[in-house]
Amino acid sequence: MSAILAAPKRGLVLQWRGSRFYMDTLLLLASLALLLFGYVMVASASLHLGDKFATDSFYFPRHQLLHILLGLITGGLAARVRLETWQRLSMPLYFLGLILLVLVLVPGIGKVVNGSSRWINLAGVRIQVSEVFKLIAVIYMASYIDRHITVVRTSISGMIRPFFMLGIAAALLLKEPDFGATAVIMAVALGMLFLAGASLWQFSALITAVLGLGAVLIFAAPYRVRRLLSFLDPFDDPLNSDYQLSQALIAFGRGEWSGVGLGSSIQKMFYLPEAHTDFLFSVIGEELGLVGVTSVILLFMVMVWRAFVIGQLAENSGTRFSAFQAYGIGIWFGLQAFINMGVNMGLLPTKGLTLPLMSYGGGSIMVMCAALAVLFRVRSDAIAAVTAKPRLKAPWSVG
């Protein structure tokens, strides 16, 4: 059903010095709910760790609150940046991302945690460079698609070309090593190309090649093979290679329908590694059961849905770059959440990916708040554009 879009549903309207910013109310509520829900669960999963590592039970909750505040500030600043500026800076941002990926591998600059060099300390906040590059990759791909849409739709070379650029970044990410981030970036790029209208047979050939290369990378590294075998039989070696996954599954088993109660998890008490970061979803499953798990899934579904609605609205307003920014952010958030949940539940091999907006970590929270701010800006600008064109036709769902 369609109608003349003279006055689309605008949601919350913010006014500042004569300018208007049209917020997506559902997306805002879902985002804040995930941030708040994540903060409560990080606090629950980390109180005992604060006592152990810093003799302060509230060490991690206090730092996570600071991360959220920094994320909101970062998001506010990102929302003020014009979308044309992001497009103009797409290549400089790409090269900045490469510089950061190189710096993180330099001894003394990159911080090594659990055998991986993925972090840089900036002003006291530990930034995971791969998270920054995910946003940069979305901006780069949106700019590429906008500039080369005809070639993307008609030629396989137009589809392959951006992967040469992303391949350089992927090689640096694999040196950290960070296979999970590499997989997410490549999958998001493929998804954006598919939405751009790439030829189905050419897209199928490209995705087959990417999957084949991924399989080669998995079997080329013994630790990745061990993770794959652990995924296939998580209780084959529960005290060694299968330990983390088996403990996560025990957490879900204990949670049953309604959970054992907030703060009452047993698995987080030194049984489940990384309970406040990569395996926070398992603690949610144990303490809040199926009810809590389903609530988180629904919130992420709302977020992805709104991202695609915003992308559709931007396309209807004639701003293709903005539309593919929205699509890319939606695919990124949805895919990373799906992978993290799948890993926690034993549906996917173990990967070091955070649960967006929920897991402990300053860099991750800040980058994802910035990405959400870009999404809000896309909607606001698109609403302003369609309001200026009262005869533009669009589905009612774009509000």
Side-chain angles (χ1 to χ4, degrees), residues 201-222:
W201 77 265
Q202 293 175 351
F203 179 79
S204 300
L206 181 59
I207 198 170
T208 300
V210 171
L211 290 174
L213 180 59
V216 170
L217 292 173
I218 290 174
F219 287 102

Side-chain angles (χ1 to χ4, degrees), residues 67-307:
H67 297 159
I68 292 173
L69 292 175
L70 289 173
L72 294 176
I73 293 171
T74 304
L77 294 174
R80 295 178 62 85
V81 179
R82 294 172 59 86
L83 297 174
E84 295 83 357
T85 302
W86 290 119
Q87 185 170 19
R88 189 173 66 252
L89 295 178
S90 59
M91 286 307 297
L93 284 172
Y94 168 80
F95 287 112
L96 174 62
L98 289 187
I99 291 171
L100 291 174
L101 289 174
V102 171
L103 287 177
V104 80
L105 298 174
V106 177
I109 298 179
K111 304 298 179 182
V112 179
V113 178
N114 295 330
S116 297
S117 180
R118 302 178 184 177
W119 295 267
I120 293 177
N121 279 340
L122 294 176
V125 178
R126 195 169 67 179
I127 305 293
Q128 188 170 348
V129 176
S130 59
E131 294 295 328
V132 177
F133 196 83
K134 288 172 189 174
L135 178 56
I136 291 174
V138 168
I139 295 170
Y140 166 74
M141 284 299 301
S143 177
Y144 176 84
I145 290 170
D146 182 53
R147 289 180 287 112
H148 304 286
I149 186 68
T150 303
V151 181
V152 167
R153 291 174 175 173
T154 58
S155 169
I156 193 167
S157 65
M159 295 177 58
I160 294 175
R161 200 180 307 163
F163 284 93
F164 287 110
M165 304 292 285
L166 294 179
I168 299 172
L172 293 170
L173 284 167
L174 291 172
K175 288 288 291 181
E176 295 181 5
D178 195 344
F179 183 79
T182 304
V184 168
I185 289 170
M186 292 302 180
V188 170
L190 284 168
M192 293 175 72
L193 287 173
F194 178 76
L195 293 175
S199 169
L200 187 58
W201 77 265
Q202 293 175 351
F203 179 79
S204 300
L206 181 59
I207 198 170
T208 300
V210 171
L211 290 174
L213 180 59
V216 170
L217 292 173
I218 290 174
F219 287 102
Y223 80 93
R224 294 189 188 120
V225 175
R226 286 196 300 271
R227 286 184 175 182
L228 180 60
L229 295 176
S230 298
F231 156 70
L232 295 174
D233 189 356
F235 291 98
D236 178 56
D237 188 10
L239 298 179
N240 192 12
S241 61
D242 302 342
Y243 179 78
Q244 194 166 32
L245 179 54
S246 61
Q247 296 299 318
L249 293 176
I250 290 171
F252 281 106
R254 293 191 72 246
E256 298 184 351
W257 289 95
S258 57
V260 297
L262 183 64
S264 300
S265 167
I266 297 297
Q267 292 306 106
K268 69 184 181 186
M269 304 296 289
F270 308 110
Y271 292 103
L272 179 63
E274 309 298 336
H276 62 309
T277 56
D278 297 351
F279 279 80
L280 183 68
F281 194 62
S282 298
V283 179
I284 295 173
E286 183 179 5
E287 295 191 349
L288 303 180
L290 182 63
V291 174
V293 166
T294 303
S295 299
V296 173
I297 293 173
L298 289 175
L299 286 171
F300 277 111
M301 288 176 64
V302 169
M303 180 176 290
V304 174
W305 165 54
R306 295 312 297 173

